[in-house]
Amino acid sequence: LYQEYLNRKTELYNIKDPNTWVSLLLEKIHSDYAQDLSLITLSRYIHINKTTVSKYFKIITGSSVTDYIINYRLKCACFSLATTEITVKELAKVCGFKQPSYFIRQFTAKMKMTPTEYRRQCVRNRKYMMQQSK
């Protein structure tokens, strides 16, 4: 019985199924967002050509790989801005942006305010909530 168990052919996951490998890519993005991630690096990670990755990632997630990575990094940046005092320059690096100026442009375009303004707003909101709870 033990030999049968060891010799059976069991797939842990079906890599041919786009839902499976898109899930693997999302896991990779969420865990390694601060690293150098791109369509090319992710397609190499799962050994599927970038055109196929791009097509099915967009179909399944509704977003391009690049947009998804940027939006996830910005989401992480929002959390850090609201909960830490790390500088914007350092935060850009920690969140996977190579250039602080690119981070600030992307953040401002998405959030309609600069990272510093966002942090100030978070602080004001916290102070207001604390005053309301007294």
Side-chain angles (χ1 to χ4, degrees), residues 66-83:
T66 302
D67 287 344
Y68 191 93
I69 293 168
I70 290 170
N71 287 329
Y72 188 75
R73 287 173 172 168
L74 291 174
K75 181 178 179 181
C76 294
C78 285
F79 179 77
S80 293
L81 285 165
T83 59

Side-chain angles (χ1 to χ4, degrees), residues 18-34:
N19 288 302
T20 300
W21 50 260
V22 167
S23 292
L24 290 172
L25 293 179
L26 291 172
E27 187 177 302
K28 177 78 169 163
I29 292 166
H30 294 170
S31 63
D32 295 343
Y33 65 91

Side-chain angles (χ1 to χ4, degrees), residues 46 48 81 97 126:
I46 57 170
I48 296 175
L81 285 165
F97 293 92
R126 266 198 310 272

Side-chain angles (χ1 to χ4, degrees), residues 3 11 44 77 80-81 92 94 117 134:
Q3 283 294 335
E11 290 184 0
R44 287 180 184 156
S80 293
L81 285 165
V94 168
E117 290 168 337
K134 289 183 181 181

